Amino acid sequence: MSDTKEFTSTAFNEFLSEKKLMASQCKKCNAKYLPPRSLCTRCYSGEVEWIELKGRGTLTAYTVIAVGPSSMIEEGYDRKNHYCSGIVQLDAGLRISARILGVDVKNPAAIKIGTPLEVDFLERGEGENKKTFLAFKKAN
Ligand SMILES: [Zn+2]
Protein backbone atom coordinates (compact mmCIF):
# COMPACT_ATOMS: atom_id res chain seq x y z
CA MET A 1 0.00 0.00 0.00
CA SER A 2 1.45 3.34 -0.99
CA ASP A 3 -0.36 5.52 1.53
CA THR A 4 2.11 7.65 3.44
CA LYS A 5 -0.17 9.25 6.00
CA GLU A 6 1.25 9.35 9.51
CA PHE A 7 -0.08 6.78 11.92
CA THR A 8 -2.27 9.09 13.95
CA SER A 9 -5.89 9.26 14.99
CA THR A 10 -6.23 12.26 12.65
CA ALA A 11 -5.22 10.09 9.70
CA PHE A 12 -7.48 7.30 10.94
CA ASN A 13 -10.40 9.76 10.95
CA GLU A 14 -9.49 11.02 7.47
CA PHE A 15 -9.71 7.46 6.23
CA LEU A 16 -13.10 7.10 7.92
CA SER A 17 -14.34 10.05 5.86
CA GLU A 18 -13.27 8.03 2.79
CA LYS A 19 -15.27 5.12 4.20
CA LYS A 20 -12.18 3.11 4.93
CA LEU A 21 -11.43 1.31 8.18
CA MET A 22 -7.66 1.36 8.38
CA ALA A 23 -5.20 -0.20 10.81
CA SER A 24 -1.43 -0.26 10.90
CA GLN A 25 0.59 -3.41 10.41
CA CYS A 26 4.19 -4.12 11.29
CA LYS A 27 6.19 -5.04 8.18
CA LYS A 28 8.52 -7.24 10.22
CA CYS A 29 6.26 -9.34 12.46
CA ASN A 30 2.84 -8.58 10.89
CA ALA A 31 1.31 -7.42 14.18
CA LYS A 32 -1.74 -5.24 13.52
CA TYR A 33 -2.76 -2.16 15.46
CA LEU A 34 -6.08 -0.45 15.85
CA PRO A 35 -6.04 2.43 16.59
CA PRO A 36 -2.96 2.60 14.36
CA ARG A 37 0.50 2.91 15.91
CA SER A 38 3.72 3.99 14.26
CA LEU A 39 5.86 1.69 16.43
CA CYS A 40 5.33 -2.02 16.81
CA THR A 41 5.03 -2.84 20.51
CA ARG A 42 5.77 -6.52 19.86
CA CYS A 43 9.10 -6.27 18.02
CA TYR A 44 9.80 -2.51 18.39
CA SER A 45 10.09 -2.05 14.64
CA GLY A 46 9.21 1.36 13.26
CA GLU A 47 8.48 -0.14 9.85
CA VAL A 48 4.72 -0.15 9.72
CA GLU A 49 2.22 0.28 6.91
CA TRP A 50 -1.48 1.02 6.51
CA ILE A 51 -3.82 -1.84 5.80
CA GLU A 52 -7.52 -1.61 5.03
CA LEU A 53 -9.76 -3.87 7.08
CA LYS A 54 -12.83 -5.53 5.64
CA GLY A 55 -14.86 -4.36 8.59
CA ARG A 56 -16.63 -7.55 9.51
CA GLY A 57 -16.72 -8.98 12.99
CA THR A 58 -18.83 -9.89 15.96
CA LEU A 59 -20.12 -8.09 19.01
CA THR A 60 -18.15 -9.02 22.15
CA ALA A 61 -19.37 -6.46 24.66
CA TYR A 62 -21.85 -3.61 24.66
CA THR A 63 -23.53 -1.03 26.76
CA VAL A 64 -26.72 0.91 26.16
CA ILE A 65 -26.20 4.53 27.08
CA ALA A 66 -28.91 6.85 28.32
CA VAL A 67 -26.81 9.89 29.21
CA GLY A 68 -24.07 10.36 26.64
CA PRO A 69 -21.50 13.06 25.89
CA SER A 70 -22.69 16.39 24.48
CA SER A 71 -21.96 15.27 20.90
CA MET A 72 -24.50 12.47 21.30
CA ILE A 73 -27.05 14.69 23.00
CA GLU A 74 -26.80 17.01 19.98
CA GLU A 75 -27.71 14.04 17.81
CA GLY A 76 -30.88 13.63 19.83
CA TYR A 77 -29.91 10.84 22.20
CA ASP A 78 -31.10 11.22 25.77
CA ARG A 79 -32.78 9.40 28.66
CA LYS A 80 -35.68 8.50 26.40
CA ASN A 81 -33.69 7.75 23.26
CA HIS A 82 -30.76 5.49 24.09
CA TYR A 83 -27.88 4.35 21.92
CA CYS A 84 -25.60 1.37 21.96
CA SER A 85 -21.83 1.42 22.18
CA GLY A 86 -19.93 -1.83 21.87
CA ILE A 87 -16.66 -3.64 21.37
CA VAL A 88 -16.35 -5.38 18.03
CA GLN A 89 -14.04 -8.34 17.55
CA LEU A 90 -12.98 -7.98 13.93
CA ASP A 91 -12.33 -10.96 11.70
CA ALA A 92 -8.83 -9.51 11.21
CA GLY A 93 -8.11 -10.27 14.87
CA LEU A 94 -8.44 -6.75 16.21
CA ARG A 95 -10.94 -5.16 18.56
CA ILE A 96 -12.40 -1.71 18.37
CA SER A 97 -15.10 0.21 20.17
CA ALA A 98 -17.80 1.79 18.04
CA ARG A 99 -21.43 2.73 17.90
CA ILE A 100 -23.65 -0.29 17.29
CA LEU A 101 -26.64 0.29 15.03
CA GLY A 102 -29.68 -1.81 14.29
CA VAL A 103 -29.96 -3.37 17.73
CA ASP A 104 -32.92 -3.02 20.06
CA VAL A 105 -31.75 -0.43 22.59
CA LYS A 106 -35.16 -0.51 24.26
CA ASN A 107 -34.58 -4.15 25.11
CA PRO A 108 -30.83 -4.46 25.87
CA ALA A 109 -31.21 -8.03 27.17
CA ALA A 110 -32.11 -9.06 23.60
CA ILE A 111 -28.79 -7.80 22.20
CA LYS A 112 -26.66 -10.89 21.72
CA ILE A 113 -22.93 -11.26 22.21
CA GLY A 114 -21.61 -12.82 19.01
CA THR A 115 -24.01 -10.94 16.71
CA PRO A 116 -22.34 -10.68 13.27
CA LEU A 117 -21.61 -7.06 12.39
CA GLU A 118 -20.34 -5.08 9.46
CA VAL A 119 -18.78 -1.66 9.38
CA ASP A 120 -20.85 1.43 8.70
CA PHE A 121 -19.83 5.06 8.43
CA LEU A 122 -22.01 7.74 10.00
CA GLU A 123 -21.76 11.19 8.49
CA ARG A 124 -22.77 14.10 10.67
CA GLY A 125 -22.70 17.84 10.07
CA GLU A 126 -22.24 19.87 6.91
CA GLY A 127 -19.31 21.36 4.98
CA GLU A 128 -16.23 21.99 7.10
CA ASN A 129 -17.97 20.63 10.16
CA LYS A 130 -18.73 17.37 8.48
CA LYS A 131 -17.40 14.40 10.43
CA THR A 132 -17.51 10.69 9.87
CA PHE A 133 -17.93 8.32 12.79
CA LEU A 134 -17.21 4.65 12.94
CA ALA A 135 -20.21 2.43 13.55
CA PHE A 136 -21.18 -1.17 13.04
CA LYS A 137 -24.54 -2.58 12.04
CA LYS A 138 -25.97 -6.07 12.00
CA ALA A 139 -24.57 -8.00 9.06
CA ASN A 140 -26.98 -9.66 6.65
ZN1 LIG B 1 6.51 -5.98 14.81
Side-chain angles (χ1 to χ4, degrees):
M1 197 161 263
S2 62
D3 242 302
T4 54
K5 280 186 205 286
E6 282 188 67
F7 299 91
T8 60
S9 58
T10 304
F12 177 79
N13 287 325
E14 283 173 13
F15 281 125
L16 286 184
S17 69
E18 298 167 14
K19 300 197 189 317
K20 288 178 181 171
L21 175 57
M22 302 291 283
S24 66
Q25 182 169 29
C26 174
K27 287 183 181 178
K28 288 201 167 156
C29 75
N30 292 327
K32 300 185 186 85
Y33 296 95
L34 190 68
R37 312 181 60 111
S38 56
L39 182 71
C40 180
T41 54
R42 192 199 282 174
C43 75
Y44 304 107
S45 168
E47 287 184 51
V48 293
E49 63 185 345
W50 286 105
I51 55 166
E52 185 174 357
L53 303 176
K54 289 201 174 69
R56 295 186 74 91
T58 54
L59 187 64
T60 61
Y62 67 90
T63 180
V64 172
I65 298 167
V67 182
S70 57
S71 61
M72 296 303 290
I73 293 167
E74 281 170 23
E75 280 193 39
Y77 293 99
D78 58 25
R79 287 174 199 277
K80 286 180 181 160
N81 187 17
H82 302 174
Y83 68 95
C84 182
S85 178
I87 306 290
V88 181
Q89 174 73 49
L90 295 169
D91 293 349
L94 296 162
R95 287 182 175 207
I96 191 167
S97 69
R99 191 117 49 105
I100 309 299
L101 307 174
V103 293
D104 187 0
V105 293
K106 291 200 171 72
N107 184 15
I111 302 174
K112 294 276 184 289
I113 297 300
T115 299
L117 299 171
E118 62 187 11
V119 71
D120 197 7
F121 300 92
L122 290 178
E123 292 180 334
R124 295 286 182 264
E126 300 285 331
E128 284 185 12
N129 294 320
K130 192 167 164 180
K131 274 188 167 180
T132 308
F133 296 95
L134 181 64
F136 282 80
K137 61 184 179 187
K138 272 187 178 177
N140 294 316

